[in-house]
Amino acid sequence: MERLAQLALQTTAAVGAPPAPAHPLDPLSPQEIKSVSNIVRNNYKNKSIIFNTVTLREPIKRAYYEWKEKNGPKPPRIAYFVIVAEGDEGVHEGLVDISNQELIEFKNTTGVQPILTPYDLQKTENIVRNDPEVIRQCELSGLPKGQMDKIYCDAWTIGYDERWGAGKRLQQALMYYRSDEDDSHYSHPFDFCPIVDMNAGKVISIDIPQVRRPLSKFKHSSFHPKHIQEKFGTKENPSGYRDDNTIINITQPNGVSFKLDGNVMTWSNFKFHIGFNYREGIVLSDMTWNGHGKPRSLFHRISLCEMVVPYGSPDFPHQRKHALDIGEYGAGNCTNPLALGCDCKGVIHYMDAHFPDKDGEATTVKNAVCIHEEDDGLLFKHSDFRDDFQTNVTTRGKKLIVSQIFTAANYEYCLYWIFRQDGTIKLEVRLTGILNTYICGDNEDIGPWGTKVYPNVNAHNHQHLFSLRLHPRIDGDNNSAGTSDARPSPFPTGSNENMYGNAFYCDKQTFKTVKDGVTNLDGATARTWDIFNPNSIHPYSGKPATYKLVSTFCSPLLAQEGSLVRKRAPWAANHTQVIPYKDDQYGYGLLYPSGDHVAQWSGDGKRGMREWIGDGKASIDNTDIVFFHTFGITHFPAPEDFPVMPTEIFDLQLRPRNIHLENPVLDVRPSYARTTKEVKANAVGVDTCSLTVDKSSRLATECVQK
Ligand code: ABN
Ligand code: CU
């Protein structure tokens, strides 16, 4: 029996244990974080330690459903921690049983490095500013003496550099100059890159290009109001902002239609748990659909489990730029506090997120998760031409949005998990923030590897690729997956089977083994993917209950075989991988496809996805599976992306197919409905949307322009 399954049998909490939250998947509370830190600190009394991670170790799937569905014991509260101990290589990591106030495992893992926290990033700038050789290089580049307070660096993990391997904890400092504190430093990159040993607290090397590029003398380009005023302000319009700033509000006079019980959301027919952790950020679990009193399970767990941003410049040391932002920094660790009416509009419910600081005290990011509803346009409509379209039913929909925004140094990633009333689950990503920039000389030919987005500013080509992790549970634990391709009939025009040449069909291939599950988008066949329960057959269509993944923003990974990024992000080279699910010894498993400790992994050996794929022979048909989907875009920068990018939007959808008996939104109250008889009798029918009813909609001609 797994250790956690054994622990699940001991249900009483020890004296001094903090109260357990209501739901076993709830993130650790501030009290729980503190209590874990105390236990860990006691165990490392003789060492100087820095807390890196304290997070919930989610219960194994079986224990969870035994509690949830079979009246079994509540799974124990287990925390996973990572600390860095002075003088020790690698990480110290382990597990604390919070309920029993007991350290149940701890070890020093070497050859790996921990995730970078905001504390680690902030520390580096000071180290760099005070290093004599960095100061000399800044001055050589043209920085006047005594201006080191104007030097900034974006601290990145080194990725992997074979000169040092994984023995030291290293950052590469991407260097910039800010002419004043409110400037955007990305207009003024330096050409050299210091390497910082974080544990030693010093610069250990500086990568300096053979051809030097002096610091740009061009004025910075920025985007704060004072800079907009400088750029565009006129006597008539001092602010410089265009004057089309009429307000659009979302009004919900009767409040929201979602219900939150702690972290458990009920909205429309959906029910699911909203979790949040340092690494994946938002995690949606135990998702069910309850249509007409029949609850059905859909997904056990959905999250973004990894991402990579590989850059395309062949010049050393830019090959090191391939941030695995979720595994190396954390979509949770880097999450923003959100502002009411700014980041999302309407009637908002927020959830806070809690993390340990370096001393193990709990810190809180207020308003880390935003939950709200918006109008979703038409849900369905039909009118009858026979009476000039007066007979009609028009039903508007609304959507539920669970969102967060995280900042990966220069970039912002805005993540919107969107639920539609018809059972569709959508993930929308909005990419904004600032391009990673590098200096270019006045007349330099930068080749095809980037774009000059501003004088002396080269923005390298790059990609933003995500791994979406779907653990389905459609009508039960045994699920399958496969491709779905639109194909013309294999029979030629004029043949008995295709006399007129017009026949086409949907070619569905079920993945039998892990090897089959490694597939790619095929634009020529409008490929989608099915995740389905082969044991749950629709009474009309005879087809299995399915969630269909529709995802077209699927750039191929452009780095070649043998490249560092291909080795370190083995999941990124294909658009799908499907793995039979296995619990970890100590909890929920198969989480991170670039491994548990991503920073400074060389990409060699079997970790994460490479280990899970193994020889590819394992069966994935009609069993408990995890479906990984790589999606994202390739970004060839343009001047329009500078000094800050207008949001670039890409998305994907999971749509129910052969799950519901018929259109699942027939029971959404129509906005307007008039039958043919009502039209003939001049009766109104149902009307919740016309100008006489909906007081918030008006004719533009009747609005006073201010
Ligand atoms: N994109 C690299 C990165 C992410 C977060 C923090 C620092 C650097
Ligand atoms: Cu980009």
Side-chain angles (χ1 to χ4, degrees):
M1 196 191 314
E2 297 91 346
R3 178 87 165 97
L4 280 197
Q6 289 167 348
L7 286 168
L9 302 173
Q10 310 158 12
T11 48
T12 46
V15 183
H23 195 282
L25 299 177
D26 284 354
L28 296 188
S29 66
Q31 296 100 304
E32 288 182 308
I33 292 174
K34 268 176 109 146
S35 139
V36 173
S37 306
N38 283 339
I39 292 169
V40 172
R41 220 178 280 115
N42 278 339
N43 192 60
Y44 291 92
K45 268 203 187 102
N46 305 324
K47 286 189 186 291
S48 161
I49 61 172
I50 290 177
F51 282 85
N52 174 272
T53 301
V54 177
T55 193
L56 176 72
R57 171 57 58 100
E58 291 174 29
I60 60 170
K61 187 177 164 207
R62 189 161 37 80
Y64 175 76
Y65 286 108
E66 269 165 21
W67 166 76
K68 169 79 190 317
E69 293 175 350
K70 299 184 183 151
N71 227 2
K74 197 167 171 188
R77 293 289 282 175
I78 306 293
Y80 167 70
F81 69 86
V82 175
I83 57 167
V84 180
E86 198 177 11
D88 291 352
E89 214 188 276
V91 302
H92 288 264
E93 58 187 331
L95 297 164
V96 170
D97 176 352
I98 304 175
S99 323
N100 288 310
Q101 292 285 284
E102 192 194 340
L103 188 69
I104 50 178
E105 195 195 76
F106 65 98
K107 59 182 180 199
N108 183 194
T109 310
T110 54
V112 300
Q113 292 296 342
I115 200 164
L116 285 191
T117 63
Y119 164 74
D120 298 321
L121 303 175
Q122 287 157 18
K123 230 170 77 170
T124 306
E125 214 153 55
N126 260 342
I127 297 172
V128 163
R129 276 186 186 146
N130 291 306
D131 182 83
E133 186 52 26
V134 172
I135 297 172
R136 202 174 78 82
Q137 288 301 328
C138 288
E139 290 172 0
L140 268 178
S141 300
L143 181 77
K145 274 197 189 311
Q147 293 216 4
M148 284 307 287
D149 59 327
K150 297 195 165 118
I151 297 305
Y152 290 76
C153 78
D154 280 8
W156 288 35
T157 79
I158 197 163
Y160 182 76
D161 190 314
E162 57 203 10
R163 287 175 290 177
W164 300 282
K168 294 181 193 311
R169 191 175 183 207
L170 301 178
Q171 289 183 351
Q172 47 182 328
L174 310 189
M175 302 290 296
Y176 303 92
Y177 164 66
R178 273 192 205 179
S179 49
D180 83 73
E181 222 175 0
D182 298 332
D183 177 4
S184 160
H185 57 237
Y186 296 97
S187 315
H188 292 127
F190 281 99
D191 68 348
F192 61 93
C193 181
I195 311 296
V196 175
D197 179 335
M198 298 170 61
N199 291 352
K202 62 178 192 206
V203 174
I204 57 163
S205 181
I206 304 181
D207 289 325
I208 301 171
Q210 275 170 0
V211 180
R212 298 306 301 260
R213 298 167 180 90
L215 191 56
S216 166
K217 298 231 171 357
F218 220 84
K219 189 174 164 42
H220 68 257
S221 176
S222 196
F223 49 92
H224 287 288
K226 73 173 188 186
H227 298 112
I228 301 309
Q229 190 179 0
E230 273 168 33
K231 272 187 219 254
F232 308 126
T234 59
K235 215 154 122 225
E236 299 72 46
N237 177 21
S239 76
Y241 286 109
R242 59 177 89 167
D243 67 356
D244 60 357
N245 203 22
T246 52
I247 292 163
I248 297 178
N249 284 333
I250 299 175
T251 57
Q252 289 185 285
N254 305 324
V256 298
S257 53
F258 58 82
K259 237 183 63 213
L260 267 167
D261 177 8
N263 285 44
V264 177
M265 163 66 73
T266 309
W267 179 82
S268 204
N269 291 348
F270 279 109
K271 188 168 186 177
F272 53 90
H273 179 274
I274 304 173
F276 194 89
N277 67 51
Y278 75 109
R279 190 147 167 171
E280 299 157 285
I282 291 171
V283 176
L284 305 171
S285 299
D286 191 6
M287 191 176 290
T288 58
W289 175 271
N290 188 348
H292 309 288
K294 269 203 283 165
R296 297 170 75 172
S297 59
L298 301 179
F299 288 90
H300 173 56
R301 195 177 186 280
I302 299 179
S303 70
L304 283 178
C305 62
E306 192 51 274
M307 60 177 286
V308 68
V309 186
Y311 283 75
S313 165
D315 300 332
F316 178 87
H318 301 294
Q319 85 290 349
R320 277 200 311 245
K321 286 196 307 197
H322 59 280
L324 289 130
D325 291 282
I326 291 179
E328 290 181 319
Y329 310 89
N333 279 343
C334 298
T335 213
N336 287 202
L338 303 175
L340 194 61
C342 305
D343 293 302
C344 29
K345 277 175 86 76
V347 183
I348 309 293
H349 180 89
Y350 285 120
M351 285 179 178
D352 298 340
H354 310 289
F355 307 103
D357 69 9
K358 69 173 184 17
D359 302 314
E361 295 300 319
T363 60
T364 295
V365 176
K366 289 290 294 172
N367 304 345
V369 178
C370 168
I371 300 167
H372 77 298
E373 291 171 294
E374 286 181 14
D375 182 273
D376 193 28
L378 285 186
L379 204 46
F380 67 88
K381 179 177 178 90
H382 182 63
S383 15
D384 196 334
F385 65 86
R386 290 169 189 84
D387 56 9
D388 295 332
F389 316 107
Q390 292 189 70
T391 295
N392 87 78
V393 177
T394 302
T395 301
R396 288 192 77 81
K398 53 189 167 191
K399 55 189 173 189
L400 174 76
I401 306 171
V402 181
S403 63
Q404 71 163 115
I405 299 174
F406 75 93
T407 301
N410 48 312
Y411 267 113
E412 262 69 24
Y413 293 97
C414 316
L415 307 174
Y416 303 91
W417 299 93
I418 301 171
F419 296 85
R420 300 189 70 212
Q421 287 160 298
D422 67 354
T424 301
I425 305 158
K426 217 173 134 173
L427 170 60
E428 180 179 296
V429 180
R430 287 179 180 234
L431 194 60
T432 178
I434 311 180
L435 294 162
N436 170 269
T437 56
Y438 188 62
I439 176 115
C440 65
D442 285 336
N443 299 310
E444 183 178 338
D445 174 7
I446 59 170
W449 320 115
T451 303
K452 287 186 190 176
V453 292
Y454 193 68
N456 299 127
V457 177
N458 176 3
H460 289 145
N461 307 336
H462 59 279
Q463 304 190 276
H464 300 266
L465 303 177
F466 293 82
S467 179
L468 171 71
R469 184 183 184 283
L470 300 168
H471 191 167
R473 197 171 183 250
I474 301 170
D475 285 343
D477 290 313
N478 284 358
N479 283 193
S480 297
T483 46
S484 184
D485 293 286
R487 296 195 196 280
S489 163
F491 302 105
T493 306
S495 65
N496 280 345
E497 294 84 354
N498 192 14
M499 183 59 70
Y500 311 103
N502 63 305
F504 61 89
Y505 73 113
C506 182
D507 174 13
K508 288 185 182 292
Q509 298 294 330
T510 299
F511 304 145
K512 297 289 177 201
T513 63
V514 167
K515 192 159 173 250
D516 298 339
V518 179
T519 67
N520 288 298
L521 180 70
D522 187 344
T525 62
R527 173 168 284 176
T528 57
W529 292 272
D530 289 337
I531 302 171
F532 59 96
N533 186 332
N535 316 298
S536 175
I537 303 299
H538 195 281
Y540 301 164
S541 68
K543 294 179 180 176
T546 301
Y547 257 86
K548 163 176 164 161
L549 172 62
V550 185
S551 181
T552 51
F553 289 94
C554 290
S555 278
L557 176 66
L558 295 164
Q560 297 182 22
E561 208 54 63
S563 63
L564 197 50
V565 61
R566 222 167 238 263
K567 290 202 296 178
R568 300 186 72 225
W571 51 272
N574 300 98
H575 294 136
T576 66
Q577 300 98 17
V578 186
I579 309 293
Y581 179 70
K582 202 164 85 245
D583 282 318
D584 212 339
Q585 191 202 353
Y586 282 109
Y588 186 70
L590 294 190
L591 275 172
Y592 303 126
S594 276
D596 291 345
H597 300 290
V598 182
Q600 294 178 239
W601 176 39
S602 66
D604 295 325
K606 288 200 159 50
R607 273 193 209 177
M609 188 54 72
R610 201 172 300 130
E611 179 189 346
W612 303 336
I613 287 180
D615 63 8
K617 290 187 183 148
S619 167
I620 50 168
D621 189 15
N622 201 4
T623 185
D624 194 356
I625 55 173
V626 188
F627 188 106
F628 293 84
H629 171 49
T630 306
F631 70 100
I633 55 153
T634 298
H635 189 172
F636 296 112
E640 285 87 345
D641 298 337
F642 200 71
V644 65
M645 268 178 70
T647 50
E648 173 156 5
I649 305 173
F650 51 102
D651 62 6
L652 56 81
Q653 295 190 48
L654 286 156
R655 301 188 60 212
R657 309 310 280 160
N658 304 294
I659 287 189
H660 306 297
L661 202 59
E662 55 189 335
N663 177 348
V665 291
L666 292 181
D667 57 355
V668 174
R669 198 177 295 284
S671 314
Y672 191 86
R674 236 172 141 201
T675 62
T676 304
K677 280 193 188 123
E678 282 166 341
V679 171
K680 281 185 178 156
N682 223 0
V684 177
V686 174
D687 176 5
T688 61
C689 69
S690 73
L691 290 182
T692 48
V693 180
D694 173 6
K695 301 293 181 208
S696 68
S697 296
R698 285 179 294 162
L699 290 175
T701 47
E702 287 168 11
C703 292
V704 185
Q705 295 284 335
K706 285 205 178 131

